[in-house]
Amino acid sequence: MTSRRIVSNEKTLLEKDDNNDRTPTASEKSNITPAVPAAVIMKLLGFTAAMVGGPIGMYFLTLNTVFRGNSTWAGATAAFTANLVLIAYVIVAMKEDQSDQLAAGESAKKNR
């Protein structure tokens, strides 16, 4: 088995990785702002809870009260509820995206 010799003018992997001899520039400084705003995370958590709780709740709510034990209709109601939550999420996401685009357009107009 052969091994590779390190030539004296060649840096080792540790030396290549070591950047302690220079200071970072302004563009290389750490940015600790969150990648996703907290409002977006809260909306996602809310719709996740609605997607889990809504259909299950509608199934058990309608099983004995509305459909008198007919699980097929109660399951169809649960599926319809899941679709409603999904459609609501898509609408909210589209409105949020449009409001971001409008805000960016208004700020561009102000900067002119």
Side-chain angles (χ1 to χ4, degrees):
M1 191 157 87
T2 61
S3 63
R4 184 171 181 260
R5 288 186 357 192
I6 298 175
V7 181
S8 62
N9 62 357
E10 184 179 318
K11 290 185 177 183
T12 65
L13 289 176
L14 294 175
E15 290 172 337
K16 287 180 183 178
D17 193 34
D18 192 20
N19 291 327
N20 292 334
D21 57 344
R22 64 181 185 89
T23 58
T25 62
S27 63
E28 293 175 336
K29 288 190 179 178
S30 176
N31 184 3
I32 58 171
T33 58
V36 180
V40 173
I41 298 294
M42 294 309 291
K43 285 180 191 174
L44 181 63
L45 289 176
F47 278 104
T48 301
M51 187 58 102
V52 171
I56 293 173
M58 285 301 288
Y59 175 80
F60 287 111
L61 179 72
T62 60
L63 180 62
N64 292 322
T65 57
V66 177
F67 299 118
R68 297 187 196 107
N70 188 346
S71 63
T72 302
W73 286 103
T77 304
F80 182 74
T81 304
N83 285 317
L84 285 180
V85 172
L86 183 62
I87 291 168
Y89 178 73
V90 169
I91 290 170
V92 168
M94 287 175 56
K95 284 188 177 187
E96 181 179 321
D97 189 39
Q98 289 174 353
S99 65
D100 289 345
Q101 289 175 354
L102 290 175
E106 289 176 6
S107 66
K109 287 179 183 178
K110 288 179 183 179
N111 291 338
R112 287 185 194 181

